[in-house]
């Protein structure tokens, strides 16, 4: 479905009256991965690691600095397409945004919001458009009467369902879900995750599921890629990653996931990372994570391995 090779996104740092570029923030620094048809790839990491930037680059919402991403059986490099050439592929790749409050236009009814992609791309009109809107709303657990209401009349979970319906409007093949449950209550999170899983089976979708909560990613992902400071430090199938993580950063993330059993939680060893996250404009040499590895820090302090 998608093959990403050496994707990079650098943001210039400008100073002075003439706004000269004095450096770059390396938000995404050379990541590579692939997504198979019908697969959910979880992209996880702490805030600021570059996972959302990577997702926006894939949809060309922001232009990548370099790299390639080959899409579909025809292996078209989306990174090289101009705005007009990209338009047909936008129907096949859609996005679910993180904030269900900010991603919906408060001045538009639900019917207008869900129907807008079809009107813009001229895929349906008239009665067929109205029938399609009703079908989409019902597929995400909403009622046909809801199409006449405005976003402010819905809860957070219902608003996210509206965003999901909009993403499905053009019958995409790949959906980039940018932390779609992080702004929702825990009970509502489970409902949205189950809905996404059902829709994947019903419409044969592929997902790139971006999140910072590993317990959420474990529930829905087939494979998981772990990002740190703009790089992928580990990628594996979900079961292997959670049972035997290879990278110390992955171990630290998994140790921070709360367990429902208090006794198991007390017995669990928590890995405490030391120091601050390095500056992405001046990353450390070698492995970006090495300043925070506890064993290395202990060695540097005591001189004993």
């Amino acid at each position: 479905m998608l093959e990403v090779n050496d994707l990079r996104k650098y943001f210039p740092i400008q100073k002075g009256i003439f706004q000269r570029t004095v450096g770059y923030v390396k938000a995404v620094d050379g990541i590579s991965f692939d997504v198979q048809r019908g697969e959910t790839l979880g992209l996880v990491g702490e805030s600021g690691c570059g996972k959302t930037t990577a997702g926006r680059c894939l949809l060309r919402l922001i232009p990548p600095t370099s790299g390639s991403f080959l899409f579909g059986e025809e292996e078209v490099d989306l990174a090289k397409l101009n705005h007009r050439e990209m338009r047909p592929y936008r129907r096949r790749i859609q996005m679910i945004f993180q904030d269900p409050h900010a991603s919906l236009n408060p001045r538009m009814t639900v019917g207008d919001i869900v129907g807008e992609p079809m009107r813009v791309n001229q895929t349906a009109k008239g009665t067929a458009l109205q029938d399609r809107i009703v079908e989409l709303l019902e597929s995400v657990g909403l009622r046909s009467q809801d199409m006449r209401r405005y976003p402010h009349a819905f809860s957070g979970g219902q608003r996210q369902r509206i965003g999901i319906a909009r993403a499905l409007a053009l019958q995409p093949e790949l959906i980039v879900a940018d932390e779609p449950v992080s702004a929702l209550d825990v009970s509502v999170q489970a409902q949205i995750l189950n809905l996404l899983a059902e829709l994947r089976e019903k419409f044969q979708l592929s997902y790139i599921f971006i999140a910072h909560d590993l317990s959420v990613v474990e529930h829905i992902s087939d494979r998981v890629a772990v990002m740190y400071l703009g790089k992928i430090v580990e990628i594996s199938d979900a079961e292997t990653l959670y049972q035997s993580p290879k990278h110390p950063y992955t171990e630290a993330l998994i140790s921070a996931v709360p367990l429902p059993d208090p006794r198991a939680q007390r017995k669990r060893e928590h890995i405490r990372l030391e120091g601050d996250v390095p500056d992405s404009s001046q990353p450390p040499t070698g492995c970006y994570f090495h300043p925070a590895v506890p064993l290395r820090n202990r060695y540097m302090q005591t001189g004993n391995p």
Side-chain angles (χ1 to χ4, degrees), residues 125-186:
K125 60 182 180 179
T127 304
L129 176 62
Q130 298 300 311
D131 293 342
R132 176 63 176 159
I133 293 172
V134 171
E135 179 187 350
L136 288 167
L137 292 178
E138 291 178 346
S139 69
V140 298
L142 298 175
R143 303 171 302 170
S144 59
Q145 303 94 302
D146 292 332
M147 64 185 295
R148 298 178 183 87
R149 302 169 67 190
Y150 287 86
H152 72 266
F154 297 89
S155 66
Q158 290 173 323
R159 292 182 191 183
Q160 195 60 287
R161 290 174 186 268
I162 296 169
I164 294 172
R166 178 178 59 186
L168 294 172
L170 297 175
Q171 299 177 322
E173 301 170 38
L174 175 66
I175 291 181
V176 178
D178 181 16
E179 302 198 36
V181 298
S182 64
L184 306 178
D185 295 336
V186 175

Side-chain angles (χ1 to χ4, degrees), residues 40-60:
T40 298
L41 175 71
L43 194 60
V44 301
E46 61 192 10
S47 298
C49 70
K51 53 190 186 296
T52 294
T53 301
R56 291 176 180 268
C57 284
L58 295 178
L59 274 80
R60 293 292 302 276

